[in-house]
Amino acid sequence: FFTHRINQQRNIMGLRKASFKDRADKEVVLEEVQKDGFQLKLASDKLQADKEIVLEAVKNNGAALYFASRKLKGDKEVVLTAIKERGIAIVSASTELKADKDIALVALQGCGWALEFVSDDLRADKEVVRKAIQNCPVAIKYASNECKADKNIVLEAVRKDALALRHASNEVRNDKEVFLEAVQNNGDILQYASNEIKADKQIVVAAIKNKASVIQYAPIELRADKDVVLAAVKKEGSTLQWASDQLKANKEVVLEAIQNEGYYRPALQYASNCLRSDKEVVLAAAKKNIHALQYASPEVLEDKDKILMAVKINGNALKFAFVILQEDKEVVLAAVKQVGGVLRYASDELRVDKDVVFAAVKQDGRALEYASDELRADKD
């Protein structure tokens, strides 16, 4: 047991606490780099120049090539072994091998980012660049300007990752076909578009279909376009906030937004003042999310008929009613029959009222805690 623990500790420490003699001992170092290629860092200069040692190290961890001698960084067999294990290891290869197309293609097969470290000539080689973007589309960032201006290459990249478009030439970024492809994969890319592209209705609608909130990047003219805004609110109701004032007052648009809103962002808050007073709109909002009532106009919250309809949909509407209606027995009775716990919002006078309290407790026994002390003590 103790021997096992000692050996285990040696494996963890590797050559870190080894003597200079051990770091120069080929047998010792060979054993260590086979377990952890990075142990090559601690080997003697002579062994960092030993091909057998270095090959074993880069087989374990290609990045260990960084610690090899300059001569071995230019050895094709060693470098190939390293980049097969870890493509990015090409960063440590000699300048000559960074210009070797075969070497580059192998490295890029494992890591598209390796394109950054190959020669300028290879970054202008379309085959090499295509290999890079197959693995990592955003690696087009390191391609030559000529490749960044190649529409076909950029299209290949954006089909895999729309963000690759950010590194294309200005001309290609403003190409409608390319941008359409990009926004269909990632609507967020619209924020990086030129004003000309952002003004294209087809592109904006395509972006919205991918992610509704990108309507915020569209020009005001398109945010005043009913088709564009409907496309957004049908996907996410809260996008009504970016619509023009005219469309925030459009009943069809607002009702569509309400039907597609999220729980924490009721669309009613973005509607015009006029529609926040509209009976149909407010009741639709209350039916979808009772908490939307907090955004209804004061006229609604003090209107007995509208609040009665709301509490019959969901008793919690009582919470948002004006005090005068929280003192109205008919309204409060209708509310507690739906949700007993809203007795807490009733006036003190009604929490003493047996009819109201019994109705609340019948719906939810826990409502008794909101009754008056007198009724809580009533055994009936």
Side-chain angles (χ1 to χ4, degrees), residues 86-362:
R86 195 162 305 201
I88 200 67
I90 197 172
V91 67
S92 301
S94 66
T95 302
E96 181 183 349
L97 290 183
K98 286 178 180 177
D100 185 302
K101 186 171 180 177
D102 293 335
I103 292 283
L105 289 172
V106 173
L108 294 167
Q109 181 69 36
C111 177
W113 288 113
L115 184 65
E116 179 182 2
F117 305 107
V118 302
S119 67
D120 290 344
D121 287 344
L122 290 181
R123 284 191 275 134
D125 186 299
K126 292 183 179 181
E127 182 184 359
V128 171
V129 172
R130 281 192 163 97
K131 177 64 73 173
I133 63 178
Q134 283 173 10
N135 184 282
C136 179
V138 183
I140 196 173
K141 173 181 180 180
Y142 301 111
S144 66
N145 290 334
E146 180 184 347
C147 287
K148 290 177 181 178
D150 187 301
K151 181 176 175 178
N152 293 324
I153 288 178
V154 175
L155 271 172
E156 286 181 39
V158 299
R159 282 172 182 150
K160 290 178 176 291
D161 187 342
L163 291 176
L165 187 58
R166 295 178 64 184
H167 306 296
S169 68
N170 289 332
E171 182 180 354
V172 174
R173 282 206 304 271
N174 286 316
D175 184 285
K176 183 173 180 177
E177 180 187 357
V178 174
F179 218 97
L180 263 177
E181 191 72 43
V183 296
Q184 286 168 358
N185 291 330
N186 184 346
D188 271 328
I189 199 72
L190 185 65
Q191 65 185 294
Y192 305 112
S194 65
N195 291 334
E196 180 184 353
I197 289 290
K198 287 178 180 177
D200 189 295
K201 182 175 177 177
Q202 184 183 3
I203 288 176
V204 171
V205 170
I208 286 169
K209 286 180 178 178
N210 178 272
K211 187 174 182 179
S213 62
V214 300
I215 190 175
Q216 65 186 290
Y217 305 121
I220 187 60
E221 293 78 15
L222 289 181
R223 288 187 280 124
D225 185 299
K226 187 175 178 181
D227 295 334
V228 173
V229 174
L230 275 173
V233 298
K234 283 179 178 179
K235 192 170 178 69
E236 186 181 323
S238 64
T239 56
L240 181 64
Q241 65 186 292
W242 292 298
S244 66
D245 290 341
Q246 182 182 3
L247 290 179
K248 287 177 180 178
N250 183 290
K251 193 169 183 177
E252 178 188 354
V253 171
V254 172
L255 284 172
E256 193 66 55
I258 287 169
Q259 292 309 310
N260 297 287
E261 67 185 26
Y263 181 79
Y264 294 104
R265 299 176 75 183
L268 187 62
Q269 65 184 301
Y270 306 118
S272 67
N273 291 333
C274 178
L275 289 182
R276 283 192 276 136
S277 299
D278 184 280
K279 179 179 177 181
E280 181 184 359
V281 171
V282 172
L283 288 178
K287 188 173 182 179
K288 181 72 176 179
N289 179 357
I290 198 62
H291 295 283
L293 268 185
Q294 64 187 297
Y295 302 110
S297 69
E299 291 83 358
V300 170
L301 300 179
E302 66 180 359
D303 186 303
K304 180 174 178 177
D305 291 337
K306 290 175 182 175
I307 292 297
L308 259 177
M309 294 181 72
V311 296
K312 287 176 181 178
I313 293 172
N314 186 323
N316 284 301
L318 186 64
K319 174 182 180 180
F320 306 105
F322 273 23
V323 172
I324 191 171
L325 294 179
Q326 293 175 342
E327 296 172 344
D328 187 293
K329 184 172 180 176
E330 183 183 2
V331 172
V332 175
L333 262 176
V336 297
K337 284 178 180 179
Q338 291 290 324
V339 180
V342 298
L343 181 62
R344 75 183 75 179
Y345 305 119
S347 65
D348 292 341
E349 291 78 8
L350 290 178
R351 282 190 274 151
V352 180
D353 187 293
K354 280 192 174 184
D355 294 336
V356 173
V357 174
F358 283 177
V361 172
K362 183 178 179 181

